[in-house]
Amino acid sequence: MVVLVVVVMATRKPAAQETTLLDRNAGLSSLAEWQNTKKAITELQVQVKANPESAKLKLLLIQAFIQEGRVTGNHAYYDAAAFKLVNEVLKKEPKNFEALSSKAIIQASAHQFSNALETTETAIKINPYNANIYGVKCDALTELGRYEEAITAADKMVSIRPDIRSYSRISYLREIYGYYDGAIEAMKMALASGYPGFEQTEWVRVQLGNLYKKTGKPQEATDLYKTALLHRPLFAPAIAGIADIFKMKNNPDSALKYYLQAAEIVPDYSYFINAGIISKSKGDTLNATEYFNKAEEILINHSHSTDEENGVGHYVDRELSQVYLAAGKYNEAYYAARTEYLRRPANIDINETLAWAAYQIGNYKEAGFHIRSASKTHSNDPELLYKTGLILQKNNYPLVASDWFKNARMINQYVDNYFQHNNAHQPLTLK
């Protein structure tokens, strides 16, 4: 059988000769840090213009652009500007460690994980004693499904510098291997090593909340999301976390309100997906379609390849598959997931997405193959366990399937609510 594979690339908008600092939206511009950030970046741009040969100044501006993209969600714009500056530095100083590190960060952000890994290995040969480069290497290896190597990189990172970045990576790897107690412990250590109010610290606080959410502890999760908002008002991931809790506890009206609030602050595709899921579960197909279309638009707008003129292209096929799954476009979901699988066949998350897409189009044997691959690290993610049960049912293993449902509910008693919302368009046979 011939499979037509379509590679979809989201874009990094072309960077002008001098990148204009974008105004933040009304909410984010009200934060006190914005004035300091705007002043610092503007001053750096003036200095770079006056000293165009200064790699040090360009690297400071690169780091500022990357962070501004992270805070505002405007990755497409700021990563393009940062990528252009990185290439300028590396043309003249191909062994500049900081430039290579920044390039690897941008490549990882663009889901170009093989390229990011290659760049980190080049950088490590120059400086094998920097913790952060091992963090990027860990991320790339994790996303490529090379989990044992990722653990080695994380161990090296934490041995050099035990801090918020290294502990959070240790936490994620423990979660992947189904060790939730250890993941929570490491994330608490990460949180304790950060400064309240900083974006990275509140991101970690939200990740800790997400671990509690996954393990069926909504009150602990909500407390952490609300604390994050006290330290950093209008922090979109925390607002979306509260929406997740309302969704999990079967309160769709409140969930929708908070998802849309998060999306207004940072236009992240996932917030629109969830808004669409909630709207669809309420029978509001018109708004659901609008939200799904918006999520798709965010991911694929201005497609281009990676080069100096256009910036760095971003692979988004798995994310598109998630949009199509939520919207009920199962053939599109399958081929998008298949595209990403061919790029990263060992990654458990991609195998889970492809398994679910295959399940939805009736390819139950293929779904069974990929769900087994998704389970190879013995993850205890309740959603994964639940999907495994559904796929096993369709492959005529009803008794084994019931064990998977039982295990999912033991970890998170609210897991049935998740599937009732996400699959409101179809009947489910649950036992």
Side-chain angles (χ1 to χ4, degrees), residues 60-210:
L60 289 172
L61 186 55
I62 287 165
Q63 293 163 12
F65 281 152
I66 291 172
Q67 180 61 19
E68 184 64 10
R70 179 181 168 102
V71 169
T72 63
N74 291 322
H75 297 285
Y77 185 82
Y78 288 110
D79 280 1
F83 189 73
K84 181 176 183 295
L85 288 170
V86 161
N87 285 332
E88 289 178 7
V89 173
L90 289 174
K91 272 187 178 180
K92 296 186 176 181
E93 301 179 26
K95 293 186 177 181
N96 186 304
F97 175 79
E98 293 298 333
L100 287 167
S101 297
S102 296
K103 184 174 184 178
I105 290 170
I106 297 167
Q107 289 170 324
S109 173
H111 293 189
Q112 295 187 10
F113 298 112
S114 294
N115 292 338
L117 179 60
E118 182 179 350
T119 303
T120 63
E121 290 173 342
T122 300
I124 287 169
K125 290 177 183 177
I126 297 168
N127 180 2
Y129 306 107
N130 180 277
N132 293 335
I133 195 64
Y134 287 102
V136 185
K137 182 177 182 180
C138 173
D139 295 342
L141 288 166
T142 299
E143 294 296 341
L144 291 169
R146 295 162 60 176
Y147 300 109
E148 294 295 330
E149 293 173 81
I151 291 172
T152 299
D155 284 344
K156 181 67 174 179
M157 182 186 189
V158 78
S159 71
I160 296 172
R161 187 169 183 175
D163 64 3
I164 187 170
R165 288 170 286 195
S166 55
Y167 287 136
S168 61
R169 285 175 170 88
I170 294 291
S171 174
Y172 182 54
L173 287 166
R174 288 178 176 177
E175 179 187 351
I176 284 173
Y177 278 90
Y179 183 25
Y180 275 119
D181 289 343
I184 289 171
E185 177 189 17
M187 200 63 82
K188 285 181 177 179
M189 294 171 70
L191 182 59
S193 63
Y195 295 95
F198 282 22
E199 189 271 341
Q200 293 90 340
T201 305
E202 302 316 317
W203 181 86
V204 163
R205 199 185 308 275
V206 168
Q207 299 314 304
L208 180 57
N210 290 344

Side-chain angles (χ1 to χ4, degrees), residues 41-69:
I41 292 179
T42 301
E43 288 179 355
L44 274 172
Q45 288 179 305
V46 170
Q47 292 176 42
V48 167
K49 188 174 182 179
N51 302 276
E53 302 302 313
S54 174
K56 181 179 180 180
L57 288 171
K58 286 182 178 179
L59 287 165
L60 289 172
L61 186 55
I62 287 165
Q63 293 163 12
F65 281 152
I66 291 172
Q67 180 61 19
E68 184 64 10

Side-chain angles (χ1 to χ4, degrees), residues 171-380:
S171 174
Y172 182 54
L173 287 166
R174 288 178 176 177
E175 179 187 351
I176 284 173
Y177 278 90
Y179 183 25
Y180 275 119
D181 289 343
I184 289 171
E185 177 189 17
M187 200 63 82
K188 285 181 177 179
M189 294 171 70
L191 182 59
S193 63
Y195 295 95
F198 282 22
E199 189 271 341
Q200 293 90 340
T201 305
E202 302 316 317
W203 181 86
V204 163
R205 199 185 308 275
V206 168
Q207 299 314 304
L208 180 57
N210 290 344
L211 287 169
Y212 282 121
K213 176 186 67 181
K214 279 191 175 183
T215 51
K217 298 175 181 176
Q219 189 57 57
E220 290 88 336
T222 300
D223 289 344
L224 285 160
Y225 299 145
K226 289 182 176 179
T227 301
L229 289 170
L230 286 175
H231 289 300
R232 192 173 182 85
L234 302 178
F235 190 45
I239 295 170
I242 292 173
D244 288 341
I245 298 300
F246 280 124
K247 177 183 175 185
M248 189 171 74
K249 297 179 74 172
N250 201 24
N251 186 337
D253 292 334
S254 295
L256 180 60
K257 171 186 173 183
Y258 279 92
Y259 282 132
L260 292 177
Q261 183 181 343
E264 186 176 352
I265 296 167
V266 174
D268 187 275
Y269 81 97
S270 66
Y271 305 154
F272 285 106
I273 288 179
N274 278 297
I277 288 170
I278 294 296
S279 296
K280 187 172 65 173
S281 73
K282 289 161 56 71
D284 185 358
T285 56
L286 185 63
N287 278 318
T289 300
E290 179 184 343
Y291 298 141
F292 291 140
N293 287 342
K294 182 63 177 177
E296 181 184 35
E297 178 187 348
I298 290 169
L299 290 170
I300 68 173
N301 193 30
H302 304 302
S303 298
H304 66 72
S305 58
T306 295
D307 56 49
E308 280 192 40
E309 180 180 354
N310 292 315
V312 54
H314 190 142
Y315 293 120
V316 295
D317 299 286
R318 178 175 180 253
E319 291 77 9
L320 277 173
S321 183
Q322 292 172 321
V323 175
Y324 297 143
L325 280 167
K329 298 179 178 180
Y330 298 129
N331 287 321
E332 291 94 329
Y334 175 82
Y335 286 113
R338 184 74 182 170
T339 298
E340 190 62 35
Y341 172 77
L342 294 175
R343 197 178 291 125
R344 297 188 282 148
N347 181 277
I348 59 173
D349 295 325
I350 292 164
N351 273 281
E352 178 186 349
T353 303
L354 181 53
W356 195 234
Y359 170 90
Q360 298 291 2
I361 63 174
N363 290 353
Y364 300 127
K365 288 185 178 180
E366 182 181 358
F369 171 81
H370 289 295
I371 208 69
R372 286 193 297 274
S373 296
S375 304
K376 68 181 180 180
T377 61
H378 305 291
S379 169
N380 279 319

